[in-house]
Amino acid sequence: MKATTIMLSKKSLSILPREWCQREGLAQGGLVNAFDLGETGLLLRPLKAPSSREVAKLLRQPPAGPQSPEEAAAIVERALRKVRRA
């Protein structure tokens, strides 16, 4: 594995390695989730929007039953988390 050093500016801005950005589809920029792993480091994962196929699949699912607005919001949030992890 090739190691790359990244420098942060005072405003916590950085430039990520070009090869990684291209491989992850971030050559034109985009969102990245950062996970603090404590003393072991920082994990960066691109945040990709769900594809139109994934959204269509979620919308085709029949409703489970009447929910309160809070329950419905929780269901949507769980579904979006699953799609974004894939």
Side-chain angles (χ1 to χ4, degrees), residues 58-59 67 69-84:
L58 289 171
L59 291 174
Q67 296 92 14
E70 294 81 19
E71 291 170 326
I75 291 168
V76 169
E77 182 62 33
R78 277 195 308 271
L80 288 174
R81 262 189 266 132
K82 284 182 182 178
V83 168
R84 288 178 180 147

Side-chain angles (χ1 to χ4, degrees), residues 8-80:
L8 293 176
S9 70
K10 289 181 182 180
K11 295 182 181 181
S12 296
L13 299 175
S14 68
I15 297 184
L16 300 172
R18 183 182 322 203
E19 296 83 18
W20 180 82
C21 291
Q22 290 173 340
R23 186 176 64 244
E24 297 298 330
L26 297 170
Q28 302 300 316
L31 297 174
V32 178
N33 279 338
F35 301 94
D36 184 1
L37 302 177
E39 293 294 320
T40 59
L42 186 69
L43 172 65
L44 299 177
R45 294 201 51 189
L47 181 63
K48 297 178 182 175
S51 69
S52 57
R53 181 184 301 163
E54 292 165 330
V55 171
K57 180 181 174 185
L58 289 171
L59 291 174
R60 281 194 306 270
Q61 293 178 353
Q67 296 92 14
S68 70
E70 294 81 19
E71 291 170 326
I75 291 168
V76 169
E77 182 62 33
R78 277 195 308 271
L80 288 174

